Amino acid sequence: MPLFIVQFAHYNEDFRLAELEALSALENIPISYDAQHYSASSPFLLITVASAADAAKLVRRAILIRSIIEHWGSGPSYADVFAQVKETPERWTEYQHVSFKFSVESFGWSLTQAQKIAVIESFSFMAFKGPIRMQNPEAEFFVAEQYEEDCKAECPPEHVWFGRVVGRGSRELIDKFDVKKRSYLGNTTMDAELSLVMANQALARPGALIYDPFVGTGSFLLTCSHFGALTLGSDIDGRQIRGTAGFRRNTSGISSNLEQYHLSDRVLDTLVFDICNNPWCRPSMFDAIVTDPPYGVRAGAKRLGRRTGTIPERSLRIIDGVENHKRPEYYPPTVPYEMSDVIEDLLEFAARMLVVGGRLVYWLPTVAGEYVPEDVPMHRALRLVANSEQPFGGWSRRLITMEKIAPHDERDAHVSGASHEPAHKNFRDRYFSKFEPTAAAQTSASDCD
Amino acid sequence: MRLITHNMLKCHVKNCTDPNKQFPLRFKDVQLEQIDAERNDEFLVRMLPRLDWPALLTTSKELGYSLPQSVPENPVDNDEFLQALHAFILETHVKEGCMVCNGCSHEYKITNGIPNMLLAEHEI
């Protein structure tokens, strides 16, 4: 099987392999690599793919991959690389007379223009005769020098990579969906890069129906629909949807972003309701559920209800000759919706509402020092596919990807794998107390028999 | 709101549980608008098993549209059918109006194309 060099972006390192795996599933292109050789500190990974065409297709939607390169040689020195390249001179002939260019990159050290030219000239033994063309050449060759992290003076590169570029990712989409360019956004709008990665984790594609139950200002509708999926969103707070509560007022809310990005055809609808009391009438409707549940730091989760129990008389009372709840100004009372309950309900909802093979992609906040893998809630009908961490110091958020593997069984309701108290419980209080150990945690530690 | 979405919604008031009355919700005083959209046959065909056809028929009659009595045998190759389905479930928008439950008479308002499915305090 041909070997390729994946050149990752050096951002969100913990998300890169997960995205590569998602793309392999999405494009139905098998890949193999030695996970031992993957390192978060290196932007390069060798993988095998059946062909250059498949390699290009594999990464075309990638957000965390810059390019994929047909491997011609790599090693600790240029001598190793040249020796490997010279083993297959028949490979060069195809490029003898076409326009070409060389790109030289260095990682962990900067090269001067003169040094880059010297690198290019060192490959002159291939004797390409075609014109050099910097824009749209027919063949692009890639040389990368990788230096040790603590390289200070003139140390030689730790590793050299060489090959022919066969495909590129879609990092330009980060700029296209940059939140600063959107007509409408709110204070919890997710950044473009991770919103796009989420669409890949969800396998968003033409023909899929994707839903966000905490839609807010609709970031995930935009990115999932960009990749061809049809999307739906809902929120208990209709002001977010309508644009009467965002950063930029005087817009028509989510719909102004749909116009801006020409996605009105694909974002089917946004609705106002509480996910705990939702009107979806049949199970197995969605190909993916993609969401950032509110965890109470900037926007607290709410559900319908009253702390002291509902008082039906309040909504049924006659005011000006009309039942209170039928008046246009009526808004039902809400209570805070605790984070661990939100997540447990979300998993149960996904187990019911996803098609088999469909994916749940959501953010889970965790307390950095206390996180254990068991904090990630499980469900009998859902398999954990990926768990990628974005650290923020005292806490992290983790992008959790799960796949529905079994038809839903009503008897499963509220069967959660978490037998211990997860560290995200009461996350809001923990956040504002700067993650001091909880009284419960201290008590349980001293309670040990 | 598009009619595909309407086909997925039922009345969810606490004590309203008769499946024959909760769904489909009946339209009342609606303003409709046709908006052209790119046709996506792959999506239409994949959604067919997820739609409730009898409910779609009921709604189409209510709104004065016509759809075939049942899904044809080879919908993939049936351009006329796919076009009718596309025009009805994806290009027909309810801009204003109400969806009324045939069981409990709850009225779900649609304002500027956005349905409000929130329940009142006595309904949860």
Side-chain angles (χ1 to χ4, degrees):
Chain A
M1 284 268 270
L3 203 54
F4 294 85
I5 307 162
V6 171
Q7 183 200 13
F8 288 109
H10 215 53
Y11 296 97
N12 294 311
E13 290 84 354
D14 204 35
F15 295 69
R16 302 188 304 191
L17 274 188
E19 192 198 37
L20 179 65
E21 292 286 351
L23 294 169
S24 168
L26 178 71
E27 304 285 5
N28 196 19
I29 293 174
I31 56 170
S32 61
Y33 55 89
D34 185 348
Q36 300 278 315
H37 288 161
Y38 174 80
S39 157
S41 61
S42 167
F44 301 108
L45 175 70
L46 283 175
I47 70 170
T48 56
V49 186
S51 68
D54 275 0
K57 196 174 167 204
L58 175 72
V59 308
R60 63 186 175 175
R61 276 180 53 167
I63 302 305
L64 301 175
I65 293 171
R66 291 190 189 279
S67 63
I68 191 160
I69 298 132
E70 185 179 69
H71 179 267
W72 286 25
S74 62
S77 74
Y78 274 100
D80 297 310
V81 174
F82 296 152
Q84 289 166 49
V85 174
K86 284 172 184 170
E87 274 169 27
T88 53
E90 65 280 4
R91 193 141 62 173
W92 317 345
T93 53
E94 198 179 325
Y95 307 100
Q96 283 291 297
H97 300 285
V98 301
S99 62
F100 71 100
K101 86 167 191 188
F102 266 72
S103 307
V104 182
E105 294 195 18
S106 55
F107 192 78
W109 189 251
S110 342
L111 297 177
T112 63
Q113 198 55 29
Q115 286 169 320
K116 287 185 181 179
I117 289 168
V119 166
I120 294 171
E121 284 177 349
S122 71
F123 284 90
S124 61
F125 60 86
M126 288 187 289
F128 292 151
K129 296 176 186 67
I132 293 168
R133 194 172 291 158
M134 299 315 283
Q135 298 289 325
N136 303 318
E138 286 160 90
E140 180 179 347
F141 296 91
F142 175 91
V143 191
E145 294 185 359
Q146 194 176 353
Y147 289 83
E148 277 177 43
E149 261 177 79
D150 51 0
C151 171
K152 288 190 182 68
E154 289 279 323
C155 51
E158 188 184 21
H159 209 83
V160 180
W161 305 85
F162 177 67
R164 183 175 67 90
V165 179
V166 297
R168 282 181 206 290
S170 285
R171 288 190 64 77
E172 72 283 356
L173 292 176
I174 298 169
D175 187 51
K176 178 176 177 181
F177 286 100
D178 185 348
V179 292
K180 292 196 283 292
K181 295 183 176 172
R182 287 192 207 163
S183 322
Y184 174 60
L185 68 151
N187 60 356
T188 58
T189 298
M190 177 74 56
D191 71 75
E193 182 163 353
L194 291 170
S195 298
L196 288 157
V197 168
M198 290 171 78
N200 279 338
Q201 291 299 125
L203 313 183
R205 62 200 181 280
L209 182 62
I210 297 185
Y211 171 55
D212 180 352
F214 300 100
V215 72
T217 60
S219 294
F220 311 143
L221 306 186
L222 298 180
T223 55
C224 291
S225 283
H226 169 80
F227 290 119
L230 299 199
T231 52
L232 286 165
S234 69
D235 207 294
I236 192 170
D237 184 359
R239 294 170 305 176
Q240 296 253 14
I241 294 172
R242 296 193 173 92
T244 49
F247 270 165
R248 305 197 184 157
R249 305 285 183 90
N250 304 319
T251 71
S252 46
I254 290 179
S255 66
S256 30
N257 285 343
L258 303 187
E259 279 161 36
Q260 181 189 348
Y261 289 103
H262 306 291
L263 290 172
S264 306
D265 283 8
R266 296 185 186 161
V267 177
L268 297 178
D269 278 305
T270 48
L271 306 95
V272 182
F273 58 78
D274 170 13
I275 190 64
C276 302
N277 293 278
N278 73 74
W280 299 120
C281 70
R282 288 183 295 281
S284 306
M285 286 302 296
F286 307 119
D287 295 288
I289 294 167
V290 178
T291 198
D292 182 19
Y295 39 79
V297 176
R298 282 171 295 180
K302 298 277 186 202
R303 57 190 293 175
L304 294 183
R306 199 183 282 278
R307 239 179 258 272
T308 48
T310 55
I311 308 171
E313 299 75 37
R314 295 261 177 103
S315 47
L316 291 167
R317 182 172 51 192
I318 309 287
I319 299 175
D320 301 332
V322 190
E323 279 180 323
N324 186 18
H325 69 100
K326 292 185 177 165
R327 292 161 13 110
E329 346 33 304
Y330 175 78
Y331 191 79
T334 58
V335 289
Y337 189 9
E338 209 284 305
M339 184 68 204
S340 48
D341 294 335
V342 174
I343 302 297
E344 192 176 320
D345 292 352
L346 179 64
L347 261 65
E348 178 56 28
F349 178 83
R352 177 176 161 76
M353 293 305 294
L354 287 173
V355 297
V356 172
R359 286 188 166 196
L360 167 65
V361 178
Y362 76 96
W363 290 98
L364 179 72
T366 53
V367 181
E370 294 171 30
Y371 168 77
V372 287
E374 292 73 36
D375 281 351
V376 179
M378 291 298 175
H379 190 288
R380 188 193 65 85
L382 303 170
R383 171 179 77 91
L384 182 66
V385 172
N387 171 354
S388 302
E389 181 188 13
Q390 185 186 28
F392 294 110
W395 67 288
S396 294
R397 61 180 180 189
R398 290 170 177 276
L399 185 63
I400 306 295
T401 305
M402 304 186 96
E403 182 187 324
K404 180 165 165 179
I405 49 167
H408 181 255
D409 184 334
E410 296 291 345
R411 288 169 301 182
D412 283 347
H414 305 297
V415 178
S416 159
S419 53
H420 76 297
E421 195 139 290
H424 56 268
K425 187 154 190 198
N426 299 315
F427 186 77
R428 185 173 197 277
D429 298 340
R430 306 290 313 279
Y431 182 89
F432 287 110
S433 67
K434 303 209 167 16
F435 303 111
E436 291 294 320
T438 56
Q442 286 168 341
T443 324
S444 67
S446 60
D447 271 358
C448 282
D449 292 325
Chain B
M1 185 192 68
R2 288 168 161 97
L3 296 176
I4 185 175
T5 308
H6 172 262
N7 193 258
M8 296 163 59
L9 300 174
K10 67 174 182 191
C11 179
H12 56 122
V13 165
K14 182 174 58 181
N15 295 321
C16 182
T17 51
D18 181 346
N20 298 316
K21 292 181 174 169
Q22 287 173 293
F23 176 82
L25 296 166
R26 173 167 45 87
F27 281 117
K28 180 184 148 190
D29 301 333
V30 290
Q31 275 176 40
L32 300 179
E33 192 180 351
Q34 289 295 129
I35 302 172
D36 288 343
E38 173 195 15
R39 193 172 115 187
N40 181 337
D41 290 358
E42 185 187 359
F43 178 74
L44 290 171
V45 172
R46 291 192 71 215
M47 280 307 119
L48 272 175
R50 302 186 206 175
L51 295 173
D52 185 313
W53 197 261
L56 212 56
L57 273 182
T58 306
T59 306
S60 69
K61 282 185 196 122
E62 204 176 288
L63 298 175
Y65 284 73
S66 73
L67 281 177
Q69 277 302 312
S70 56
V71 177
E73 247 173 57
N74 282 312
V76 191
D77 309 319
N78 192 328
D79 185 68
E80 195 186 341
F81 169 76
L82 291 177
Q83 183 53 38
L85 181 64
H86 170 70
F88 189 63
I89 67 171
L90 292 165
E91 294 188 320
T92 311
H93 295 246
V94 181
K95 299 304 282 185
E96 302 288 333
C98 269
M99 293 181 282
V100 188
C101 172
N102 289 319
C104 71
S105 304
H106 182 110
E107 295 192 356
Y108 298 96
K109 280 202 173 53
I110 301 162
T111 314
N112 200 14
I114 300 171
N116 183 345
M117 310 295 292
L118 283 174
L119 298 179
E121 190 164 3
H122 65 282
E123 295 169 327
I124 58 170

